[in-house]
mmCIF file of all heavy atoms in Angstrom:
data_model
loop_
_atom_site.group_PDB
_atom_site.id
_atom_site.type_symbol
_atom_site.label_atom_id
_atom_site.label_comp_id
_atom_site.label_asym_id
_atom_site.label_seq_id
_atom_site.Cartn_x
_atom_site.Cartn_y
_atom_site.Cartn_z
ATOM 1 N N ASP B 13 12.838 11.292 9.897
ATOM 2 C CA ASP B 13 13.749 10.531 10.752
ATOM 3 C C ASP B 13 15.178 10.562 10.226
ATOM 4 O O ASP B 13 16.130 10.756 10.981
ATOM 5 C CB ASP B 13 13.277 9.076 10.867
ATOM 6 C CG ASP B 13 12.003 8.938 11.681
ATOM 7 O OD1 ASP B 13 11.661 9.889 12.419
ATOM 8 O OD2 ASP B 13 11.332 7.887 11.559
ATOM 9 N N ALA B 30 20.080 26.274 -5.390
ATOM 10 C CA ALA B 30 19.449 27.596 -5.411
ATOM 11 C C ALA B 30 20.385 28.637 -6.008
ATOM 12 O O ALA B 30 19.964 29.504 -6.781
ATOM 13 C CB ALA B 30 19.043 28.000 -3.995
ATOM 14 N N VAL B 31 21.660 28.558 -5.671
ATOM 15 C CA VAL B 31 22.640 29.509 -6.203
ATOM 16 C C VAL B 31 22.767 29.358 -7.715
ATOM 17 O O VAL B 31 22.790 30.352 -8.458
ATOM 18 C CB VAL B 31 24.010 29.312 -5.524
ATOM 19 C CG1 VAL B 31 25.090 30.104 -6.258
ATOM 20 C CG2 VAL B 31 23.944 29.745 -4.065
ATOM 21 N N ASN B 45 12.667 39.093 -20.906
ATOM 22 C CA ASN B 45 11.628 40.117 -20.727
ATOM 23 C C ASN B 45 12.054 41.499 -21.202
ATOM 24 O O ASN B 45 11.259 42.428 -21.205
ATOM 25 C CB ASN B 45 11.233 40.190 -19.247
ATOM 26 C CG ASN B 45 10.528 38.936 -18.787
ATOM 27 O OD1 ASN B 45 9.824 38.312 -19.568
ATOM 28 N ND2 ASN B 45 10.720 38.559 -17.522
ATOM 29 N N GLY B 47 13.007 42.136 -24.234
ATOM 30 C CA GLY B 47 12.501 42.349 -25.584
ATOM 31 C C GLY B 47 13.337 41.734 -26.676
ATOM 32 O O GLY B 47 13.360 42.230 -27.803
ATOM 33 N N ILE B 84 26.435 9.773 3.195
ATOM 34 C CA ILE B 84 26.896 10.081 1.833
ATOM 35 C C ILE B 84 27.406 11.520 1.768
ATOM 36 O O ILE B 84 26.882 12.421 2.422
ATOM 37 C CB ILE B 84 25.754 9.864 0.807
ATOM 38 C CG1 ILE B 84 26.305 9.690 -0.598
ATOM 39 C CG2 ILE B 84 24.745 10.986 0.871
ATOM 40 C CD1 ILE B 84 26.942 8.366 -0.829
ATOM 41 N N PHE B 90 27.929 16.336 -6.882
ATOM 42 C CA PHE B 90 28.768 16.925 -7.927
ATOM 43 C C PHE B 90 29.166 15.907 -8.993
ATOM 44 O O PHE B 90 29.324 16.262 -10.169
ATOM 45 C CB PHE B 90 30.005 17.570 -7.294
ATOM 46 C CG PHE B 90 29.688 18.785 -6.467
ATOM 47 C CD1 PHE B 90 29.798 18.756 -5.085
ATOM 48 C CD2 PHE B 90 29.233 19.946 -7.071
ATOM 49 C CE1 PHE B 90 29.490 19.879 -4.325
ATOM 50 C CE2 PHE B 90 28.912 21.072 -6.327
ATOM 51 C CZ PHE B 90 29.041 21.035 -4.951
ATOM 52 N N PHE B 111 4.132 19.544 -22.216
ATOM 53 C CA PHE B 111 3.621 20.677 -22.985
ATOM 54 C C PHE B 111 2.553 20.216 -23.980
ATOM 55 O O PHE B 111 1.491 20.850 -24.102
ATOM 56 C CB PHE B 111 4.767 21.357 -23.723
ATOM 57 C CG PHE B 111 4.327 22.401 -24.715
ATOM 58 C CD1 PHE B 111 3.840 23.626 -24.279
ATOM 59 C CD2 PHE B 111 4.383 22.149 -26.078
ATOM 60 C CE1 PHE B 111 3.416 24.582 -25.188
ATOM 61 C CE2 PHE B 111 3.969 23.099 -26.988
ATOM 62 C CZ PHE B 111 3.481 24.318 -26.549
ATOM 63 N N VAL B 126 2.502 13.881 -13.410
ATOM 64 C CA VAL B 126 2.652 12.943 -12.297
ATOM 65 C C VAL B 126 3.131 11.593 -12.804
ATOM 66 O O VAL B 126 3.966 10.927 -12.182
ATOM 67 C CB VAL B 126 1.319 12.797 -11.530
ATOM 68 C CG1 VAL B 126 1.437 11.726 -10.448
ATOM 69 C CG2 VAL B 126 0.908 14.122 -10.914
ATOM 70 N N TYR B 128 5.055 11.033 -15.258
ATOM 71 C CA TYR B 128 6.472 11.112 -15.633
ATOM 72 C C TYR B 128 7.384 11.417 -14.437
ATOM 73 O O TYR B 128 8.601 11.510 -14.590
ATOM 74 C CB TYR B 128 6.682 12.222 -16.661
ATOM 75 C CG TYR B 128 5.849 12.097 -17.919
ATOM 76 C CD1 TYR B 128 5.494 13.238 -18.648
ATOM 77 C CD2 TYR B 128 5.412 10.873 -18.393
ATOM 78 C CE1 TYR B 128 4.738 13.142 -19.812
ATOM 79 C CE2 TYR B 128 4.647 10.770 -19.546
ATOM 80 C CZ TYR B 128 4.314 11.916 -20.249
ATOM 81 O OH TYR B 128 3.566 11.829 -21.387
ATOM 82 N N LYS B 158 -1.171 7.446 -9.446
ATOM 83 C CA LYS B 158 -1.060 8.872 -9.766
ATOM 84 C C LYS B 158 -1.852 9.725 -8.778
ATOM 85 O O LYS B 158 -1.414 10.813 -8.399
ATOM 86 C CB LYS B 158 -1.528 9.111 -11.213
ATOM 87 C CG LYS B 158 -0.523 8.600 -12.256
ATOM 88 C CD LYS B 158 -0.912 8.996 -13.660
ATOM 89 C CE LYS B 158 -1.994 8.111 -14.217
ATOM 90 N NZ LYS B 158 -1.523 6.725 -14.467
ATOM 91 N N GLY B 170 0.810 23.395 2.326
ATOM 92 C CA GLY B 170 0.821 24.294 3.483
ATOM 93 C C GLY B 170 2.229 24.743 3.836
ATOM 94 O O GLY B 170 2.462 25.926 4.138
ATOM 95 N N SER B 193 11.293 12.360 1.054
ATOM 96 C CA SER B 193 9.991 11.695 1.100
ATOM 97 C C SER B 193 9.689 10.992 -0.218
ATOM 98 O O SER B 193 9.257 9.824 -0.238
ATOM 99 C CB SER B 193 8.888 12.713 1.405
ATOM 100 O OG SER B 193 9.066 13.311 2.668
ATOM 101 N N THR B 208 4.455 -7.156 -8.511
ATOM 102 C CA THR B 208 3.184 -7.450 -9.189
ATOM 103 C C THR B 208 3.389 -7.917 -10.626
ATOM 104 O O THR B 208 2.430 -8.302 -11.288
ATOM 105 C CB THR B 208 2.267 -6.209 -9.190
ATOM 106 O OG1 THR B 208 2.955 -5.103 -9.797
ATOM 107 C CG2 THR B 208 1.858 -5.835 -7.770
#
Side-chain angles (χ1 to χ4, degrees):
D13 290 343
V31 169
N45 293 328
I84 200 74
F90 292 110
F111 171 73
V126 175
Y128 303 153
K158 287 187 281 292
S193 298
T208 56

